[in-house]
Coordinates of all heavy atoms in Angstrom, one line a residue:
C54 N -146.2 201.1 36.8 CA -145.8 201.1 35.4 C -145.4 202.5 35.0 O -146.0 203.5 35.3 CB -146.9 200.6 34.5 SG -146.4 200.5 32.7
D55 N -144.2 202.6 34.3 CA -143.8 203.9 33.8 C -143.7 204.0 32.3 O -142.9 204.7 31.7 CB -142.4 204.2 34.4 CG -141.3 203.1 34.1 OD1 -141.7 202.2 33.4 OD2 -140.2 203.3 34.5
V56 N -144.5 203.1 31.6 CA -144.4 203.1 30.2 C -145.4 204.1 29.5 O -145.0 204.8 28.6 CB -144.7 201.6 29.7 CG1 -144.7 201.6 28.1 CG2 -143.6 200.7 30.2
G57 N -146.6 204.2 30.1 CA -147.5 205.2 29.7 C -148.2 205.1 28.3 O -148.4 206.0 27.6
C58 N -148.7 203.9 28.0 CA -149.4 203.6 26.7 C -150.7 204.4 26.7 O -151.5 204.3 27.7 CB -149.7 202.2 26.5 SG -148.2 201.1 26.6
W60 N -153.4 203.9 25.2 CA -154.6 203.1 25.1 C -154.6 202.0 26.3 O -155.4 201.1 26.3 CB -154.6 202.3 23.8 CG -153.3 201.8 23.3 CD1 -152.5 202.4 22.4 CD2 -152.6 200.6 23.8 NE1 -151.4 201.6 22.2 CE2 -151.4 200.5 23.0 CE3 -152.9 199.6 24.7 CZ2 -150.5 199.5 23.2 CZ3 -152.0 198.6 24.9 CH2 -150.8 198.5 24.2
C61 N -153.7 202.2 27.3 CA -153.7 201.2 28.4 C -155.0 201.0 29.0 O -155.7 202.0 29.3 CB -152.7 201.8 29.4 SG -152.6 200.7 30.9
D62 N -155.4 199.7 29.2 CA -156.7 199.5 29.8 C -156.6 199.1 31.3 O -157.6 198.7 31.9 CB -157.5 198.4 29.0 CG -156.7 197.1 28.9 OD1 -155.6 197.0 29.5 OD2 -157.2 196.1 28.3
V63 N -155.4 199.3 31.8 CA -155.2 199.1 33.3 C -154.4 200.3 33.9 O -153.4 200.1 34.6 CB -154.5 197.8 33.7 CG1 -155.4 196.6 33.6 CG2 -153.3 197.5 32.8
K64 N -154.9 201.5 33.5 CA -154.1 202.7 34.0 C -154.1 202.8 35.5 O -153.2 203.4 36.1 CB -154.8 204.0 33.4 CG -154.5 204.1 31.9 CD -155.0 205.5 31.4 CE -154.4 205.7 30.0 NZ -155.4 205.8 29.0
S66 N -153.1 200.6 37.4 CA -152.0 199.9 37.8 C -150.7 200.8 37.9 O -149.7 200.4 38.5 CB -151.7 198.7 36.9 OG -151.2 199.2 35.6
W67 N -150.7 202.0 37.3 CA -149.5 202.7 37.1 C -148.8 203.1 38.4 O -147.6 203.1 38.5 CB -149.8 204.0 36.2 CG -150.2 203.7 34.8 CD1 -150.3 202.4 34.2 CD2 -150.4 204.6 33.7 NE1 -150.7 202.6 32.9 CE2 -150.7 203.9 32.6 CE3 -150.3 206.0 33.7 CZ2 -150.9 204.5 31.4 CZ3 -150.6 206.6 32.4 CH2 -150.9 205.9 31.3
G96 N -148.8 193.2 34.7 CA -148.8 194.5 35.4 C -149.9 195.4 34.8 O -150.8 194.9 34.2
G97 N -149.6 196.6 34.9 CA -148.3 197.3 35.3 C -147.2 196.7 34.4 O -147.4 196.0 33.4
E98 N -146.0 197.1 34.8 CA -144.8 196.6 34.2 C -144.0 195.7 35.2 O -143.3 196.3 36.0 CB -143.9 197.7 33.6 CG -142.6 197.2 33.0 CD -142.7 195.9 32.3 OE1 -143.4 195.9 31.2 OE2 -142.2 194.9 32.7
S123 N -143.5 194.6 28.8 CA -143.1 195.5 27.7 C -141.6 195.4 27.5 O -141.0 196.0 26.6 CB -143.5 196.9 28.0 OG -142.7 197.4 29.0
K140 N -143.6 198.4 23.6 CA -144.5 199.6 23.4 C -143.6 200.7 22.9 O -142.5 200.9 23.3 CB -145.1 199.9 24.8 CG -145.9 198.8 25.4 CD -147.1 198.4 24.6 CE -148.0 197.4 25.3 NZ -147.4 196.2 25.8
F142 N -144.0 203.7 23.6 CA -143.9 204.8 24.6 C -142.7 204.7 25.5 O -142.3 205.7 26.1 CB -145.2 204.8 25.4 CG -146.4 204.8 24.5 CD1 -147.0 203.6 24.2 CD2 -146.9 205.9 24.0 CE1 -148.1 203.5 23.4 CE2 -148.0 205.9 23.2 CZ -148.6 204.7 22.9
Ligands
SF4_6 S1 -147.0 198.7 29.6 FE1 -149.0 197.7 30.0 S2 -149.6 198.6 32.0 FE2 -148.0 199.9 31.3 S3 -149.0 201.5 30.2 FE3 -148.6 200.0 28.6 S4 -150.4 198.7 28.5 FE4 -150.5 199.9 30.5

Side-chain angles (χ1 to χ4, degrees):
C54 184
D55 59 359
V56 177
C58 305
W60 42 260
C61 178
D62 58 4
V63 282
K64 288 191 168 113
S66 70
W67 291 6
E98 174 40 66
S123 71
K140 304 296 187 310
F142 309 94

